[in-house]
Amino acid sequence: MSFEGHLFLALLEGTVTGFVLALTALGLSLVFGVMRIVNVAHGEFFMLGAVIAWYFSTLPGGFLPALVAAPLLVGAAAFLADRLVLRRLEYKPESTIVATIGLLYIIQQLVLTVYGPYARPVAAPVYFRLDFPWFGYSGYKLVVAGVSAALLGATWLVMSRTTLGLYMRATQQDREMAQAFGVSVDRVYALVFALGAGLAAMAGALVVPIQQAHYLMGLDALLMSFIVVILGGLGSLGGTVAAAFLIGVSDGLVSVFFSPTLAKIVATLLVALVLVLRTGGLFGEEGT
Amino acid sequence: MEHVSEGTRVASEKISRRAAIKAAGALVGAGIVGGVGGFSPAASVSRAAAQPARTPIKIGFQVHRTGIGAVYGRWYERTATAAATLINEMGGIAGRPIQLVPEDDGTDPRRGAEVVEKLAVHHKVDFIYGTLFSHVVIASAPRAGELKIPYFVVSEGYHVASGKLNRYVFQPGITDVRAQVTGISGWLVKNLGKKITMIFPDYAFGYDHRDFLGRAVPALGGTIQARLAIPPTETSFSKYFARVPADTEVLYHVMVGPGVLTFVKEMGEHFGARRPQIFGFIDSLEGVDLASPGLEYLEGTHFWEAFPRYAGGYPTPHERFYRDRVGVNDAGASVRDPKDVSTYSHMFGCWETLFVIKQAVEQSGYRDPTPKDYRALIETLEEVQWFNEGIQHPQGPKKFVGQIHQSFGQQFISKVENRRLKVVHRTKIEDSLYPPEADYRKQPL
Amino acid sequence: MRRPGARAVWALHLAVILLLLGLQVVVPPFHQIMLARIMVLAVYAIGYNVLLGYAGLMSLGHAMLFASGMYATGLTILYFGVGAGAAFGLGVLASAVMATALGLVTLRASRVSFLIVTMMFSQAFYLATLYFNEITMGDQGFIISGQLAPLRAGGREFAFSDPAVKYNLALVVFALCLMLSVWLTRSPIGRVLVGVRENEERTRLLGYNPLSYKLLALIASGTIAGASGSLYTLMFSYVGSSFASILYSIYPLLWTLLGGTGTTLGPLLGTALMTYVVDIASGLTSSYLLLVGATLLILIMWFPAGVMGGIRTRWARWLP
């Protein structure tokens, strides 16, 4: 294949990866930003979305209802987790990390028990192959990119134009002040946690026709989301999308021309360094 | 190995009624019932019969119930259980019933070593058996060696044959990867093409393919055009197909892992109709229905199989008998749930290995887990040259090389036609042989 | 806080060590093996506890330090035929160097960032063990039993395959590390560390540099973790990349939390409890990781002080 072919493929892959990654990481970023906690179980919400989508695809209704049901079901589960676990821990950063590690294993093992160890495929709801001069490409991947873009836009609208968004931004900026102005911070937290999980589940459901559902698929999604969120800055929607693209395209380029494992090592180290060098820590005023 | 007619008679008499009825239906008509217990020397059988208390022979079963190997583990357990049930119906091992003691290792090396300890020291089993994943085998083998307990693996890795493990470790029930690759390389170069690009997982199992196909193909006048290693957690493959050189005649893929359907689909999207010949190892698609959405592109491509998944690929009565006893239908899925596809090219190793243990116990006169009896068993097994085809070895006859504790059997090459695998070639055992590079028999026991 | 004599504290720890010494002749062989493994892994937890319990820093990257000890020991034996003693020394040294490097880079980060950053570095280390598979054999790993010469002491040979040798070797290293951690917590350094944990700003005002104390704690913690990894290799002959994976950063956290963060005997208790629970549970259910998850959740929600922490608050406030 010619150099243009390689480059075009890398960019195309990068764009699709970027959109999916942005959607996956968005929930983590919201939770990071508004609630100031690190949700290690985020990848498992992604996996749950994929598994639920598979389940729906075996029902008469087919795959499409899953795109509504998966985020709702997973969101509800996350809502419960917030009420039963996180709130009782008073959202202390370190305790919530330990608790969400616990949730990670509980979700993963329950899925293994109920759903089994298999990687199960789902037929894409729309399928066509695009034939470029150098290679062919999946049309559904472009559809996924499009839907992700629409969802990112919708989230932005919710954040900037609705009362809920206003409450969320207020809580993010100053929790006590928001409370003083009558925002029910508790309720906002529960909603944000559910919304974050729902977005992850949505991403999982969307990619299942590309990737298949498997009970161990969450860890990679989690690590990639971490990288994106840290690079993009917490709670920043624009930053998350930009970082997702940067990671998506550079991963596409580096792994087309070099070793993909090396690409992952380099990206991980770079992000760790960014985090170290960012003064003030992850949560701004935290750490004093 | 010669059949001992007296032993055959004695052993046949010991088969329980139910087994006899079942086995008879499958076998008598085919005139092969002489294969049942046919290798038992008269001496050991009579001694076993004399043993008053029929204390069970306990066989520790190290199984991947969880972790990345769980799909395989599920079927390994079903196959092992079916084999143990059959052996018990046939009168057990040397007159003693088999008791399987399963223990999950989580497909984790550390837990694997702990499970070996638990089985050997706590459950006091006679032997340990059944491990598949290479890293678990490699971490467990030193413990089995130190605890001096025979350890029979069904892993297909080259680790046993390489001589890196120890004298207590055997792989008598399944051909190793090096032999598989060597066995099919001649057919591959002759029938599909000389310019080969390899895609393989970036871990141990993949390196065996990389190294041994890389050695075999140039010797046959072919070339390896490119070697593409894929990390185990990869979820998108288009970028790798971009690196396949344009003059590639054969794309050789070994892509074990949950991403395989994506791999195939993206392969189809990338190459479309302008594709090279495609040859794969079925390992990636074990437990996966070939009629799954997304696998359409495999139509017309070739696969290595150790044992044909679809009935009729190797039509022997033993194969039919084995298939029925394990509970696999003609399409290679569970009789109870047609969606539950088996790992047919690997799990037969559990069946055959259990019969090897039976043979070794009976021939060596093994009774108790003592150093003396273990020595007799190991030395007896190391002398074995062949395992004959029969219900004990339905996959086919095996040449056993005692120096490296490894069996060599025939391999199959199948073509995907109408979303099923159709056997197009069967290799000879000699095609797979390579000179042994070690000799476990020189190690002290 | 009432401070009883140092004698009681040392006597208690000595008694624990003597108890372990005696147990090997009493318990059945299987439990002897289990206890040997528990002691090796408890060393890892002791190391982890030095950082979490006394400096208040939670790391998710200790697998990298544990595995550094493991790989340094295993690789030098595999490729250079180094003796067991030297290989152990190299393992400890390698993890000390790694801990120093990790500390110099990551301790600038605040507490939560520290957690994420250590995890990232550890993940990069894990990927590197896969990437350099020509040397490390990647996830398949390698064994050293053929290359390892028996220990020689006092004109006698001690083979690593002997269960008694394994047990007593583990006991010696465990006892040393336990005593080191007791000494560390009772020394002035330990008190400054607790000061850093409770109120970093105040410690700074008192004239101490919190950063250098934290670095010291991380180096001590990483070195002990590396000693555990190195000893594990010698005793169980296997090195593989799964020991560098994120799960092995979570395990010492789990053991420490269970036993009691900031207590010297907590790590041993936590490791022993969890190892036995997993072993018994794996005979009953196939999803023992579910148990790991549930334990973590229950501990952090209802028993954040762990078993020893609970005992200390209720009955024995003098426990270190």
Side-chain angles (χ1 to χ4, degrees):
Chain A
M1 207 160 81
S2 66
F3 180 74
E4 311 91 83
H6 274 295
L7 193 65
F8 181 63
L9 176 67
L11 290 174
L12 196 64
E13 275 285 291
T15 310
V16 173
T17 313
F19 271 118
V20 175
L21 211 53
L23 189 63
T24 314
L26 184 61
L28 189 70
S29 172
L30 277 179
V31 170
F32 243 151
V34 178
M35 302 169 69
R36 320 213 155 173
I37 60 164
V38 180
N39 174 21
V40 185
H42 187 73
E44 305 314 305
F45 292 140
F46 174 83
M47 179 270 284
L48 274 180
V51 169
I52 291 172
W54 170 82
Y55 177 71
F56 271 86
S57 75
T58 63
L59 298 180
F63 171 74
L64 287 175
L67 291 181
V68 181
L72 283 180
L73 288 171
V74 176
F79 186 87
L80 274 181
D82 175 80
R83 297 281 92 169
L84 297 178
V85 180
L86 301 183
R87 192 157 69 129
R88 290 180 188 213
L89 293 173
E90 293 160 2
Y91 304 102
K92 277 178 279 186
E94 285 165 355
S95 309
T96 49
I97 286 174
V98 177
T100 49
I101 291 174
L103 281 178
L104 181 158
Y105 284 113
I106 291 173
I107 295 173
Q108 200 184 75
Q109 296 296 308
L110 283 179
V111 170
L112 172 67
T113 310
V114 177
Y115 165 86
Y118 300 93
R120 301 193 196 254
V122 170
V126 278
Y127 184 77
F128 52 98
R129 177 175 179 266
L130 295 169
D131 214 347
F132 295 110
W134 312 279
F135 58 86
Y137 201 73
S138 157
Y140 181 71
K141 280 193 175 182
L142 297 182
V143 172
V144 169
V147 175
S148 299
L151 285 166
L152 290 170
T155 312
W156 178 76
L157 277 178
V158 168
M159 288 292 282
S160 60
R161 299 289 156 84
T162 64
T163 325
L164 175 65
L166 181 69
Y167 286 174
M168 280 160 63
R169 280 177 292 138
T171 311
Q172 175 166 0
Q173 274 159 18
D174 190 331
R175 186 184 161 170
E176 276 77 37
M177 193 66 95
Q179 200 136 29
F181 276 88
V183 176
S184 164
V185 169
D186 258 6
R187 205 170 294 167
V188 170
Y189 273 19
L191 278 176
V192 165
F193 199 65
L195 181 65
L199 284 169
M202 187 72 188
L206 272 177
V207 300
V208 83
I210 308 177
Q211 281 193 10
Q212 304 127 60
H214 187 251
Y215 82 105
L216 291 173
M217 72 196 290
L219 187 63
D220 213 42
L222 172 75
L223 290 171
M224 290 309 277
S225 301
F226 263 145
I227 294 179
V228 164
V229 170
I230 290 165
L231 264 188
L234 59 132
S236 150
L237 210 144
T240 302
V241 175
F245 271 86
L246 185 68
I247 291 289
V249 175
S250 62
D251 185 61
L253 283 173
V254 176
S255 15
V256 164
F257 295 106
F258 301 98
S259 151
T261 308
L262 188 62
K264 282 214 172 80
I265 297 177
V266 172
T268 314
L269 285 177
L270 277 180
V271 169
L273 285 176
V274 166
L275 195 52
V276 170
L277 296 175
R278 180 185 289 159
T279 48
L282 205 55
F283 298 142
E285 72 275 26
E286 181 267 338
T288 48
Chain B
M1 191 191 312
E2 295 301 312
H3 286 194
V4 181
S5 58
E6 194 186 347
T8 304
R9 188 177 50 75
V10 178
S12 300
E13 279 166 12
K14 290 164 72 86
I15 300 179
S16 76
R17 258 185 106 83
R18 191 167 145 244
I21 292 162
K22 274 199 175 176
L27 301 175
V28 172
I32 52 163
V33 82
V36 181
F39 41 61
S40 316
S44 68
V45 171
S46 53
R47 184 167 61 197
Q51 194 166 340
R54 298 191 349 131
T55 50
I57 290 213
K58 286 167 89 173
I59 299 182
F61 183 35
Q62 190 184 29
V63 55
H64 307 322
R65 277 190 186 144
T66 54
I68 197 76
V71 177
Y72 279 95
R74 214 164 254 214
W75 280 99
Y76 267 41
E77 196 161 356
R78 288 176 192 166
T79 312
T81 309
T85 309
L86 176 67
I87 289 175
N88 283 338
E89 286 171 8
M90 287 164 60
I93 296 182
R96 294 163 64 186
I98 282 192
Q99 185 194 344
L100 283 184
V101 184
E103 185 85 32
D104 178 27
D105 60 24
T107 328
D108 174 61
R110 182 187 124 211
R111 186 69 199 146
E114 290 173 12
V115 164
V116 165
E117 290 164 358
K118 188 175 184 183
L119 291 170
V121 185
H122 183 63
H123 291 296
K124 299 191 173 60
V125 298
D126 293 274
F127 313 105
I128 299 175
Y129 138 92
T131 328
L132 168 65
F133 269 57
S134 294
H135 58 335
V136 183
V137 170
I138 292 175
S140 304
R143 295 301 290 134
E146 287 176 358
L147 297 167
K148 298 190 183 296
I149 182 166
Y151 180 47
F152 297 87
V153 303
V154 190
S155 161
E156 80 173 353
Y158 179 60
H159 36 57
V160 178
S162 70
K164 279 191 296 190
L165 304 182
N166 59 65
R167 200 171 172 187
Y168 288 86
V169 189
F170 287 87
Q171 185 157 255
I174 191 165
T175 310
D176 71 278
V177 175
R178 179 176 180 182
Q180 291 167 1
V181 169
T182 311
I184 54 98
S185 57
W187 187 90
L188 180 73
V189 170
K190 197 168 147 219
N191 293 280
L192 295 185
K194 286 188 171 13
K195 293 178 176 172
I196 298 168
T197 291
M198 300 181 68
I199 298 184
F200 53 88
D202 199 1
Y203 59 87
F205 179 74
Y207 306 145
D208 281 349
H209 281 273
R210 178 192 65 193
D211 297 344
F212 296 121
L213 192 78
R215 224 184 272 183
V217 165
L220 293 160
T223 51
I224 303 289
Q225 300 293 99
R227 295 176 175 83
L228 307 176
I230 300 185
T233 56
E234 189 57 87
T235 49
S236 166
F237 303 92
S238 300
K239 51 200 176 215
Y240 301 96
F241 296 122
R243 288 159 70 183
V244 175
D247 58 351
T248 296
E249 291 170 2
V250 185
L251 194 63
Y252 175 101
H253 64 95
V254 191
M255 224 304 298
V256 186
V260 62
L261 284 110
T262 314
F263 176 83
V264 170
K265 204 154 44 174
E266 295 190 352
M267 180 158 70
E269 282 149 5
H270 188 90
F271 291 107
R274 292 169 295 180
R275 72 178 188 190
Q277 292 281 356
I278 294 171
F279 183 93
F281 265 65
I282 199 70
D283 304 61
S284 336
L285 291 159
E286 288 280 69
V288 179
D289 189 350
L290 278 175
S292 299
L295 290 185
E296 297 82 3
Y297 193 69
L298 289 177
E299 192 67 23
T301 71
H302 292 86
F303 275 99
W304 161 88
E305 287 189 284
F307 204 16
R309 177 189 294 185
Y310 291 87
Y314 187 54
T316 66
H318 319 113
E319 199 275 345
R320 169 51 61 190
F321 177 76
Y322 160 80
R323 188 180 286 267
D324 291 344
R325 289 295 299 223
V326 179
V328 176
N329 68 18
D330 284 358
S334 166
V335 178
R336 282 197 221 109
D337 176 9
K339 280 201 183 112
D340 190 359
V341 177
S342 69
T343 60
Y344 211 74
S345 273
H346 294 81
M347 65 200 206
F348 69 87
C350 288
W351 177 285
E352 297 202 359
T353 304
L354 212 52
F355 279 99
V356 169
I357 294 175
K358 174 176 156 68
Q359 172 177 351
V361 167
E362 290 173 351
Q363 278 186 357
S364 67
Y366 170 90
R367 283 186 163 192
D368 303 305
T370 59
K372 184 176 136 284
D373 283 13
Y374 279 147
R375 169 183 291 275
L377 181 120
I378 288 169
E379 286 174 349
T380 304
L381 193 49
E382 281 170 346
E383 291 303 312
V384 172
Q385 305 278 321
W386 285 94
F387 296 113
N388 292 331
E389 188 163 4
I391 62 159
Q392 302 88 354
H393 297 282
Q395 191 263 349
K398 305 257 172 341
K399 178 173 175 52
F400 186 72
V401 179
Q403 285 126 289
I404 53 173
H405 290 191
Q406 176 65 49
S407 267
F408 295 81
Q410 58 193 9
Q411 311 297 316
F412 296 83
I413 294 169
S414 303
K415 189 175 186 183
V416 184
E417 283 179 10
N418 303 318
R419 312 298 299 275
R420 294 164 71 93
L421 287 158
K422 184 167 180 288
V423 173
V424 294
H425 180 71
R426 173 155 58 102
T427 69
K428 296 191 184 69
I429 289 176
E430 304 85 77
D431 299 342
S432 292
L433 287 176
Y434 50 80
E437 288 173 351
D439 193 349
Y440 284 121
R441 295 173 307 181
K442 289 184 181 143
Q443 290 184 6
L445 278 164
Chain C
M1 195 161 71
R2 193 166 60 90
R3 295 195 61 85
R7 205 176 289 171
V9 171
W10 289 111
L12 172 72
H13 290 86
L14 204 62
V16 169
I17 290 164
L18 287 175
L19 176 71
L20 285 167
L21 185 67
L23 270 180
Q24 61 180 315
V25 288
V26 186
V27 298
F30 174 64
H31 297 280
Q32 189 188 348
I33 295 176
M34 285 281 279
L35 283 173
R37 197 184 289 272
I38 286 167
M39 284 189 282
V40 181
L41 295 173
V43 170
Y44 186 15
I46 287 174
Y48 190 83
N49 188 36
V50 167
L51 192 66
L52 176 66
Y54 297 99
L57 281 169
M58 192 185 276
S59 143
L60 273 181
H62 262 52
M64 168 183 163
L65 304 170
F66 179 76
S68 293
M70 199 168 216
Y71 273 102
T73 299
L75 290 173
T76 48
I77 291 172
L78 182 70
Y79 290 108
F80 308 112
V82 175
F88 181 74
L90 284 167
V92 173
L93 184 69
S95 52
V97 171
M98 283 301 246
T100 312
L102 187 70
L104 287 175
V105 179
T106 58
L107 284 172
R108 296 166 47 102
S110 67
R111 285 187 174 171
V112 175
S113 306
F114 176 77
L115 209 146
I116 306 288
V117 170
T118 48
M119 188 185 83
M120 293 261 163
F121 277 110
S122 191
Q123 183 68 12
F125 182 89
Y126 166 68
L127 289 170
T129 63
L130 295 177
Y131 183 70
F132 296 105
N133 60 71
E134 302 267 335
I135 302 164
T136 63
M137 316 287 166
D139 75 324
Q140 180 166 292
F142 60 90
I143 49 184
I144 53 159
S145 43
Q147 276 90 344
L148 188 58
L151 276 181
R152 280 191 191 80
R156 286 183 59 197
E157 279 200 349
F158 299 97
F160 283 95
S161 56
D162 182 347
V165 171
K166 277 195 214 296
Y167 189 94
N168 290 297
L169 201 62
L171 181 60
V172 168
V173 176
F174 170 78
L176 285 175
C177 291
L178 181 69
M179 289 310 190
L180 180 71
S181 80
V182 175
W183 172 80
L184 202 64
T185 52
R186 297 183 64 85
S187 71
I189 302 170
R191 293 200 202 113
V192 177
L193 277 175
V194 172
V196 172
R197 180 185 73 192
E198 300 303 328
N199 191 336
E200 191 168 330
E201 207 46 45
R202 208 176 119 221
T203 321
R204 199 194 309 274
L205 292 176
L206 287 172
Y208 300 103
N209 179 2
L211 199 63
S212 51
Y213 278 88
K214 283 193 209 166
L215 182 61
L216 200 68
L218 180 55
I219 294 170
S221 168
T223 310
I224 297 174
S228 164
S230 176
L231 184 63
Y232 190 95
T233 307
L234 293 176
M235 282 174 54
F236 301 103
S237 294
Y238 175 77
V239 179
S241 59
S242 70
F243 288 97
S245 69
I246 190 161
L247 193 58
Y248 280 84
S249 292
I250 293 172
Y251 279 142
L253 168 66
L254 174 70
W255 298 327
T256 307
L257 280 176
L258 178 58
T261 316
T263 64
T264 45
L265 289 172
L268 173 68
L269 201 63
T271 311
L273 277 175
M274 208 59 216
T275 308
Y276 267 102
V277 165
V278 163
D279 192 70
I280 293 164
S282 89
L284 306 172
T285 158
S286 56
S287 42
Y288 66 90
L289 280 174
L290 184 70
L291 211 73
V292 170
T295 313
L296 273 175
L297 206 58
I298 291 167
L299 281 172
I300 201 72
M301 288 185 66
W302 289 292
F303 309 101
V307 179
M308 287 306 285
I311 291 175
R312 177 160 63 184
T313 16
R314 250 165 245 163
W315 297 295
R317 297 198 61 86
W318 53 274
L319 275 178

